[in-house]
Amino acid sequence: MRFLGVRLLDVGDGWVETELAITDQLRQQHGFAHAGVVASLADHTAGAAATTAVGEGASVVTADYTIHLLRPGTGEILRSRGEIVRAGNSLIVSGSDVWADGSHCARYTGTMAVVDRPV
Amino acid sequence: MRFLGVRLLDVGDGWVETELAITDQLRQQHGFAHAGVVASLADHTAGAAATTAVGEGASVVTADYTIHLLRPGTGEILRSRGEIVRAGNSLIVSGSDVWADGSHCARYTGTMAVVDRPV
Amino acid sequence: MRFLGVRLLDVGDGWVETELAITDQLRQQHGFAHAGVVASLADHTAGAAATTAVGEGASVVTADYTIHLLRPGTGEILRSRGEIVRAGNSLIVSGSDVWADGSHCARYTGTMAVVDRPV
Amino acid sequence: MRFLGVRLLDVGDGWVETELAITDQLRQQHGFAHAGVVASLADHTAGAAATTAVGEGASVVTADYTIHLLRPGTGEILRSRGEIVRAGNSLIVSGSDVWADGSHCARYTGTMAVVDRPV
């Protein structure tokens, strides 16, 4: 996620919290965070939550996700919380929400495949 | 989509074709196009297809989408084709596929809301 | 939902709780609730939650939904809780979860269109 | 799918075609096929297509799916065609469409897990 600049705020078993500063290059023509940026943050955060459930040397890759874009990504900072919905041995379902300026702007649910080596 | 650099290749009633050069800043640590880049291209292309069905001065915004990431985004260029699935008066369902190096790397389906002014 | 027999347990502003007895005709060959039954309950419950946010004489129809099937639908009773994620004027995003025997067996998120007359 | 009565019409490598008679008990209050019935047919058909890609003794279970409900399920018969989007070793992405009275009424995309014994 280096191309966006996501910061990890906090992490526990099965969950993480992140934030992302909305720099000018991440805004669309009306000044909101681009939908692709909101989705990337949501995917990254849900994936990081899923990673807390896999062992040393394993990682996860997103097989599919669904995102509902609820409001424009206004303001200066996006925050996100990701949380595992169900961790199986080979598949993990993980969800996340994104807030912009304190308003709920996206809900994400993804299916992640556990892979044996870091991705 | 200026922050990615998507190019429109061709367009007709209900469909468009696009491409995107995978520059270094769009790659993740293994050299593949970042999933967020593939998803942004898919969303942009499906949205552009949907836009061909709305009148002058109207536009579409993505309400939600689902994407299945089928293969890594390898190579130098991503290509995408978007096509309307069903155009209603207020909602348009539009799909797209993305290919990397000629391999099918993503399938997308989105629900778009028609809005009265450009977005 | 008469063909399944969903019962409304409780309702508030933006949420409802329901249950469904898993009769023999709703089971697949291994004795679990059929995935279609779990999905129908989830859709019905999220739709009922959404309906609490629309005015007299209006209703909602599901435009699209995503469901993650987390575990088999075991036991005798499915329970579900639906809750609005975001209520707009013309679209409502509503989610639900389903439990079987106290285990979380499905997560659902749907986009619903508000329509002017009962559906 | 015995509780609905889906019939297999044709099958090939990676695809199947099915149909379902809309009996009275499968209709909602306006006489259309219930959304849950359309979704069950779509899921069954996509799953059957996926099954053509797995070996003897293996089967698939739906991990998640997204369905877009495009039009009411009118008429007497629903038809569906399912087709594999991408078959991996442990996950298969499979899609389907449903038509009612010749009109496209639903698009489905699902992620299926390959399991070693029949489900």
Side-chain angles (χ1 to χ4, degrees):
Chain A
M1 221 54 179
R2 294 164 302 177
F3 88 101
L4 288 179
V6 177
R7 289 207 318 134
L8 184 66
L9 294 181
D10 203 358
V11 58
D13 274 357
W15 62 269
V16 307
E17 293 178 356
T18 60
E19 70 174 21
L20 172 64
I22 311 175
T23 56
D24 283 352
Q25 67 172 4
L26 303 182
R27 296 178 197 275
Q28 33 87 301
Q29 67 271 37
H30 294 285
F32 306 134
H34 199 283
V37 170
V38 173
S40 290
L41 174 62
D43 181 47
H44 176 75
T45 306
T51 304
T52 67
V54 301
E56 281 285 322
S59 188
V60 301
V61 288
T62 303
D64 65 69
Y65 71 79
T66 297
I67 191 163
H68 288 73
L69 299 160
L70 309 171
R71 285 183 185 83
T74 53
E76 306 301 317
I77 301 263
L78 296 173
R79 285 182 185 255
S80 181
R81 180 184 167 88
E83 197 171 326
I84 290 175
V85 177
R86 164 83 168 119
N89 288 325
S90 58
L91 289 180
I92 299 177
V93 177
S94 190
S96 62
D97 291 281
V98 179
W99 293 266
D101 255 356
S103 287
H104 192 186
C105 73
R107 170 152 298 179
Y108 166 108
T109 313
T111 296
M112 281 143 201
V114 179
V115 292
D116 284 342
R117 54 213 161 63
V119 174
Chain B
M1 221 53 178
R2 292 165 303 174
F3 88 103
L4 289 179
V6 178
R7 287 206 320 132
L8 184 66
L9 294 181
D10 203 358
V11 58
D13 274 357
W15 62 269
V16 306
E17 293 178 355
T18 60
E19 70 174 21
L20 172 65
I22 310 176
T23 56
D24 283 351
Q25 67 172 4
L26 303 182
R27 296 179 198 273
Q28 33 88 301
Q29 68 271 36
H30 295 284
F32 305 134
H34 198 283
V37 170
V38 174
S40 290
L41 174 62
D43 181 48
H44 177 74
T45 306
T51 304
T52 68
V54 302
E56 281 284 322
S59 189
V60 301
V61 289
T62 303
D64 64 70
Y65 70 80
T66 297
I67 190 162
H68 289 73
L69 299 161
L70 309 171
R71 286 183 184 84
T74 53
E76 306 301 317
I77 300 263
L78 297 173
R79 284 180 186 256
S80 181
R81 181 184 166 88
E83 197 170 328
I84 291 174
V85 177
R86 163 81 168 122
N89 288 325
S90 59
L91 290 180
I92 298 177
V93 177
S94 189
S96 62
D97 291 281
V98 179
W99 293 267
D101 255 356
S103 287
H104 192 186
C105 73
R107 171 152 296 178
Y108 166 108
T109 313
T111 296
M112 281 143 200
V114 179
V115 292
D116 285 342
R117 54 217 160 61
V119 172
Chain C
M1 223 54 179
R2 292 165 303 175
F3 87 102
L4 289 179
V6 177
R7 287 206 321 132
L8 184 66
L9 294 181
D10 202 358
V11 58
D13 274 359
W15 61 271
V16 306
E17 292 177 356
T18 60
E19 70 174 20
L20 173 65
I22 310 175
T23 56
D24 284 352
Q25 68 171 4
L26 302 183
R27 296 180 197 272
Q28 32 88 301
Q29 68 270 38
H30 295 285
F32 306 135
H34 198 283
V37 170
V38 173
S40 290
L41 175 62
D43 181 47
H44 177 74
T45 305
T51 304
T52 68
V54 300
E56 281 285 321
S59 189
V60 301
V61 289
T62 303
D64 65 69
Y65 71 81
T66 296
I67 190 163
H68 289 72
L69 299 160
L70 309 171
R71 286 184 184 83
T74 53
E76 306 301 318
I77 301 265
L78 296 173
R79 284 180 186 257
S80 181
R81 181 185 166 87
E83 197 170 328
I84 291 174
V85 177
R86 164 82 167 120
N89 288 325
S90 58
L91 289 180
I92 298 177
V93 177
S94 189
S96 62
D97 290 281
V98 179
W99 293 267
D101 255 357
S103 288
H104 192 186
C105 72
R107 171 153 296 179
Y108 166 109
T109 313
T111 296
M112 282 143 199
V114 179
V115 291
D116 284 342
R117 55 216 158 61
V119 173
Chain D
M1 222 52 180
R2 294 165 301 176
F3 88 103
L4 288 178
V6 177
R7 288 207 318 133
L8 184 67
L9 295 180
D10 203 358
V11 58
D13 274 358
W15 61 270
V16 306
E17 292 177 357
T18 60
E19 71 174 20
L20 172 65
I22 312 175
T23 55
D24 283 352
Q25 67 171 5
L26 303 182
R27 295 178 197 275
Q28 32 88 301
Q29 68 271 37
H30 295 284
F32 306 134
H34 199 283
V37 170
V38 173
S40 291
L41 175 62
D43 181 48
H44 177 75
T45 305
T51 304
T52 68
V54 301
E56 280 285 322
S59 188
V60 302
V61 289
T62 303
D64 65 71
Y65 71 79
T66 297
I67 191 163
H68 288 72
L69 300 159
L70 309 170
R71 286 184 185 82
T74 52
E76 306 301 318
I77 301 265
L78 296 174
R79 285 181 185 256
S80 181
R81 180 184 166 90
E83 197 170 327
I84 291 175
V85 177
R86 164 82 168 121
N89 289 325
S90 58
L91 290 180
I92 298 177
V93 177
S94 190
S96 62
D97 290 281
V98 180
W99 293 266
D101 255 357
S103 287
H104 192 186
C105 74
R107 170 151 297 179
Y108 166 109
T109 313
T111 295
M112 280 143 200
V114 179
V115 292
D116 284 341
R117 54 215 159 64
V119 173

